[in-house]
Amino acid sequence: MNDRWINFLTAASLLACQTVLAGSSQAGLQDAMRGIALPFVANGGQSDPRVAYQAATFAGTVFVTRAGELVYSLPGNKASERPATESIGWTLVERFDHGNPKPSAGLPGEARMSVFRGRDPQRWQSHLSTFNTVELGEVWPGVQVSVAAHGRSVEKLFTVHPGASAEAIRIAVEGAERLGLDEQGALSVAIGPGPVSFSAPVAYQDKAGRRLPVPVAYTVEGNRYGFRLGAHDPALPVVIDPLLQSTYLGGSGRDSGNSMAIHPQTGEVYIAGLTTSADFPGTAGGAQPTWRGVTDVFVARLDANLSALLQATYLGGGGYDYGSSLAIHPDTGEVYVTGNTDSADFPGTAGGAQPAKGGDIDAFAARLNADLTVLGQATYLGGSAGDSGTSLTLRPAAGAVYVAGWTGSANFPATAGGAQPTKGGEIDAFAARLTMDLTALSQATYLGGAAEEVAQAAVIHPQTGAVYLAGHTKSGDFPGAAGGAQPSYRGFTDAFVAHLNAELTVLAQSSYLGGQGTDWGMSATFHPETGEIYVGGTTGSYDFPHTSGGAQRVKKGVFDGFIARLSDDLKLLPRATYLGGGGSDYGAALTIHPLIGAVYVTGSTDSRNFPRTQGGAQGKNKGVTNAFVARINRKLTAFAQATYLGGGGNDAGYSMAIDPRTGKVYVTGSASSRDFSRTRGGAQAGYGGGMTDAFAVRLTPNLKK
C-alpha cells in the first residue's frame, strides 16, 4: 500500500475528523496520520450527549496505520459546553507492544470515501474502496489478530495457537490518562471527555464439535493491557473476543422482548415488549417515564454492541397493555409499535384515526421519535368486541402503515369496500392500512372462514407493494385457497398465507399450509433475490407437506418448527423442512440475511438434540427450555449451523433482526435464567428480578460466536 487510504467503515456515513485532539500533540497526530494505511469511521454520527463512551463505542474516526496501530479520533463534549481554550476531541492510539502487525484489507464494504488533504487538488482522492475487516496477521509468535467494524464499535479478535502464550499480548494505549478495570471486568480507559470502556473479554476453545469456555480477564500494567487465561487445553487454539455480548433487559416484575428492529443508519437496536416492572431501566426522560397500568408496553433503544441502554420508555394507560411488534421508518427513524390494550386512557390517541376505545380490548398503533422521548401520535383500532394487533409493517413510499392481527368485532372499522367486508366466524384475522401519521384509517378488511383465524405476520412485497398475511386457521372454508399451493384444510389447525393487494380491497390468493395435526404460522418474509415468500412456525403434523428433500425430512418431537418456501403467487410450494429435536420445538420468527441470502430462525426448544448445534456459540441446552437460532440455506435443503441460547431456566426467542451493514444477527425474547450466557459487559449485566426478563443477544452470521 502506498499513500492511498483504504477506508474501513462501521457506519453508512463518513465524517472526516479535522480537529486538533487533546489526547495527543498536533505534531504527533500529524506524524501518525502520515502513516495511515487503513482509516475507517466508527459511527460517523454524533454521540448521544446523555451517554459517556462505553463498550468500545466511538462517535468519531478510527484508523489502522501502516504500522498496524489503531488510532481513535474521539469527539469531546459539545463545543458550547467547553471552555474556548480547550480542544474539542481526543486521540487514543493502541500499539501492539513488541509485536509485528502486517495490516491487509479484509472483507470489502459497500461505502466509498473521499480524502482532501492539503490545497493541492492532485493529492485529493475520491471514491476510495472501503473494508469491513482488517487482518493484522501473526502479531506475536503464534498469536493472530484481526479487527472488525460493527456499528459504533471496533472488535479485536485474538487467536492464540497451541504452543503460543496469551501473555505475549501486550497493547500500549497512548493518550489515556489511566487504565483500570471496573467491577464487571471491563477495561476502563480514562480520557478527557469521559471514560471509554472495552467490554470484558470472552475466550473459548472448539473441541469435538463443542464450544468450551475458557476463563479470561484483562491484565493492566501502567498504560498497557493484556489477557490472563485460566485452565484450558494447551493442544487447542484459544480465541479471545472482547465484544461477544448479550444483555438482560428488565426490572423486578415480568418483562418480555417480543419484537426487535435495527435502525438501518445507526445500527442501534430497538426492542418492544411487555413489562409489569415499575422499575424498568432507562425510562427517565422517555416519552412516558413512569409505569401506569397492570401491564405496560415498553420500547427500548440499545447501542449496536448491546453494551449501553440509550433510552427506554413505557407506553400504556391504567389497564393491560401489550406490545407485540415494532418497525422503524428508514428515513425518519421514527418507531412504530402495535399490540393490544384495554386501557381507556391509552396515551396520545387524541387526533388519531380512532381516538376512543371501541370495545373490551382494542388493537393500537403508536408512533414515537427515534430517541423514544416523544410520542407523536397513537390510535386505537377495533370494534365493540376483542381486537389485537400482532404485526406492523411500513411502506413509506406509499405513506402507509399496515397493522394485522385478530378481531372478534363484527363492527371493525373501515372494512366496507375491503377484500372481505364482513366477519366470517367467531374470530377473524384482519389487516388495516393507516396513514403514516396515524390520523386516518384508509382501509381495513376481515380475513377468515366460519371458525377461527389469527394473523401473526404481515409483510410487504418489495416490488408490488402487495400485502401478505401469515397465521393459523381452523376454518375449512378459508377464503381464496382454491388454486393455492395447498387448496384444502387438512388438520385440527392449519397455517395459512394470504396475498392481498396494497389497498386491501382484493384477495388475490391464499393457501393452507399444514398436515393432519396442529400447525401455526408465526412469521413470514420475502427473499431479496428470488422474491419467494418464506413462512415459519410450529407444527405437530407428521405429514407436513413437501418436506421430502428438506434439511430435516421427518418430525422428531412432539412439536417441531417448520419453514416453508412458496412462490409469491402462493400457487407453488417448492420446499419445506422440519426443524427440531426429540422434545418440543417452537419456531417464533424467521428472517433472511440481506448479504448472504441464508435463512435464520429463532424460537424455543427443550430438546437436547436440536440439529447442528455442535460448534455453535452455545452447543448445549443448559436449562429446561432454551432459545435457539438456526441458519439454513435458501433452498431449505441443508442446515449450516444452529446454537442454543440461555441458561439454567426457561428461555425463549421471540424475534430477530439482522444489521444490513455488518451482517450481525440479533435475537430477543424472554429469560428466567439467572445465568444467561454472556451478559457480563452488557447494558444490564444482571437479572432484574421477577418471573422473566427480556434479553437481547448479538451473534456472528455463522452462529459460532
Side-chain angles (χ1 to χ4, degrees):
M1 294 175 227
N2 51 28
D3 238 0
R4 281 188 169 275
W5 290 15
I6 300 177
N7 193 39
F8 178 32
L9 294 179
T10 64
S13 60
L14 172 69
L15 291 181
C17 182
Q18 300 294 338
T19 56
V20 178
L21 304 169
S24 173
S25 69
Q26 181 175 2
L29 178 62
Q30 290 174 342
D31 287 342
M33 298 281 274
R34 290 192 190 101
I36 286 171
L38 296 159
F40 61 97
V41 172
N43 182 32
Q46 296 299 314
S47 60
D48 190 320
R50 294 165 298 194
V51 180
Y53 298 108
Q54 298 182 51
T57 297
F58 304 106
T61 307
V62 186
F63 307 97
V64 178
T65 71
R66 192 173 305 175
E69 301 161 329
L70 272 67
V71 181
Y72 303 90
S73 300
L74 306 174
N77 298 327
K78 293 182 179 179
S80 60
E81 299 172 356
R82 299 176 64 87
T85 56
E86 291 190 29
S87 306
I88 62 171
W90 204 270
T91 292
L92 288 177
V93 180
E94 285 191 297
R95 294 189 173 93
F96 298 105
D97 197 17
H98 294 97
N100 184 30
K102 297 178 181 178
S104 62
L107 296 176
E110 295 181 0
R112 293 292 182 266
M113 174 185 178
S114 296
V115 177
F116 305 100
R117 185 187 301 174
R119 298 182 179 180
D120 184 358
Q122 293 186 356
R123 299 193 63 194
W124 297 350
Q125 301 169 45
S126 60
H127 303 293
L128 301 180
S129 298
T130 68
F131 294 86
N132 291 328
T133 62
V134 171
E135 302 297 331
L136 297 177
E138 190 174 359
V139 176
W140 298 276
V143 180
Q144 290 183 300
V145 183
S146 61
V147 184
H150 303 297
R152 293 183 174 186
S153 72
V154 179
E155 176 180 1
K156 296 183 290 294
L157 189 73
F158 303 85
T159 302
V160 183
H161 291 283
S165 173
E167 295 181 1
I169 302 173
R170 304 298 295 171
I171 301 173
V173 183
E174 180 182 313
E177 295 176 346
R178 63 184 175 277
L179 304 184
L181 300 177
D182 66 16
E183 65 277 5
Q184 300 296 331
L187 177 68
S188 180
V189 182
I191 62 174
V196 175
S197 179
F198 292 80
S199 297
V202 174
Y204 59 86
Q205 292 181 304
D206 289 327
K207 183 175 184 179
R210 297 175 57 197
R211 177 143 293 171
L212 305 177
V214 173
V216 62
Y218 285 116
T219 61
V220 175
E221 183 180 350
N223 71 333
R224 290 170 171 79
Y225 72 89
F227 301 100
R228 180 178 62 252
L229 295 179
H232 62 280
D233 187 342
L236 296 173
V238 178
V239 177
I240 304 173
D241 185 352
L243 283 179
L244 219 54
Q245 195 62 71
S246 61
T247 186
Y248 290 106
L249 188 61
S252 57
R254 176 190 169 203
D255 310 283
S256 174
N258 298 330
S259 182
M260 76 186 323
I262 308 297
H263 194 296
Q265 298 171 13
T266 67
E268 291 170 344
V269 180
Y270 289 77
I271 299 173
L274 162 78
T275 180
T276 66
S277 300
D279 55 349
F280 194 91
T283 59
Q288 181 182 321
T290 57
W291 187 60
R292 297 182 58 196
V294 183
T295 64
D296 270 6
V297 180
F298 78 81
V299 186
R301 169 179 158 240
L302 299 102
D303 71 341
N305 298 324
L306 306 182
S307 59
L309 175 59
L310 305 179
Q311 183 65 61
T313 185
Y314 294 103
L315 186 61
Y320 289 88
D321 309 285
Y322 183 91
S324 58
S325 180
L326 67 77
I328 299 174
H329 194 293
D331 300 321
T332 67
E334 290 178 308
V335 180
Y336 290 76
V337 186
T338 194
N340 63 60
T341 177
D342 73 352
S343 299
D345 57 346
F346 195 91
T349 60
Q354 182 181 325
K357 188 160 73 82
D360 180 31
I361 298 173
D362 272 11
F364 73 84
R367 173 174 58 91
L368 300 106
N369 68 343
D371 293 338
L372 305 183
T373 57
V374 177
L375 173 60
Q377 183 67 61
T379 184
Y380 292 101
L381 190 58
S384 56
D387 314 280
S388 180
T390 59
S391 182
L392 182 148
T393 188
L394 307 178
R395 192 185 176 201
V401 178
Y402 292 89
V403 176
W406 59 265
T407 177
S409 300
N411 59 342
F412 195 91
T415 58
Q420 183 181 323
T422 59
K423 189 159 73 81
E426 182 179 356
I427 300 292
D428 270 12
F430 78 82
R433 174 175 170 163
L434 299 103
T435 54
M436 296 298 296
D437 59 7
L438 303 183
T439 61
L441 175 58
S442 309
Q443 184 67 61
T445 186
Y446 294 101
L447 184 63
E452 173 187 304
E453 282 77 31
V454 172
Q456 294 283 8
V459 289
I460 307 297
H461 194 289
Q463 280 78 47
T464 68
V467 180
Y468 289 71
L469 304 184
H472 73 259
T473 176
K474 295 184 177 181
S475 298
D477 59 344
F478 190 87
Q486 183 181 323
S488 59
Y489 179 65
R490 298 183 62 199
F492 176 72
T493 302
D494 271 7
F496 76 81
V497 57
H499 166 200
L500 299 110
N501 67 343
E503 292 75 27
L504 304 181
T505 57
V506 177
L507 174 60
Q509 184 67 62
S510 65
S511 178
Y512 292 100
L513 196 56
Q516 296 181 24
T518 298
D519 310 283
W520 296 285
M522 299 300 297
S523 58
T525 192
F526 283 97
H527 199 287
E529 297 178 15
T530 67
E532 292 175 314
I533 185 168
Y534 289 70
V535 178
T538 301
T539 178
S541 298
Y542 286 94
D543 57 344
F544 196 91
H546 293 273
T547 58
S548 177
Q552 182 179 325
R553 302 179 183 185
V554 297
K555 189 165 77 76
K556 294 182 179 180
V558 180
F559 287 99
D560 272 8
F562 77 81
I563 309 115
R565 168 180 143 237
L566 299 97
S567 58
D568 64 356
D569 61 6
L570 304 185
K571 294 183 178 181
L572 299 174
L573 174 57
R575 181 76 63 217
T577 184
Y578 292 103
L579 178 61
S584 292
D585 311 281
Y586 300 92
L590 88 167
T591 190
I592 308 292
H593 199 290
L595 304 178
I596 60 180
V599 182
Y600 290 77
V601 184
T602 192
S604 64
T605 177
D606 64 10
S607 298
R608 266 49 185 173
N609 60 339
F610 195 89
R612 296 290 295 181
T613 56
Q614 288 190 347
Q618 180 181 320
K620 287 187 175 182
N621 188 334
K622 296 180 179 179
V624 180
T625 299
N626 271 190
F628 73 82
V629 183
R631 174 181 167 180
I632 306 159
N633 69 344
R634 70 185 67 187
K635 294 182 178 180
L636 304 184
T637 57
F639 296 132
Q641 184 66 61
T643 184
Y644 294 101
L645 293 173
N650 288 288
D651 313 296
Y654 295 150
S655 182
M656 65 191 314
I658 297 177
D659 190 318
R661 305 162 310 144
T662 67
K664 291 289 186 177
V665 179
Y666 294 81
V667 181
T668 192
S670 70
S672 71
S673 297
R674 271 61 171 176
D675 57 343
F676 199 96
S677 56
R678 304 174 184 168
T679 59
R680 187 176 65 171
Q684 181 180 324
Y687 190 78
M691 184 181 297
T692 60
D693 268 11
F695 73 82
V697 175
R698 173 177 171 257
L699 296 155
T700 55
N702 62 15
L703 304 184
K704 293 184 177 181
K705 61 187 180 77

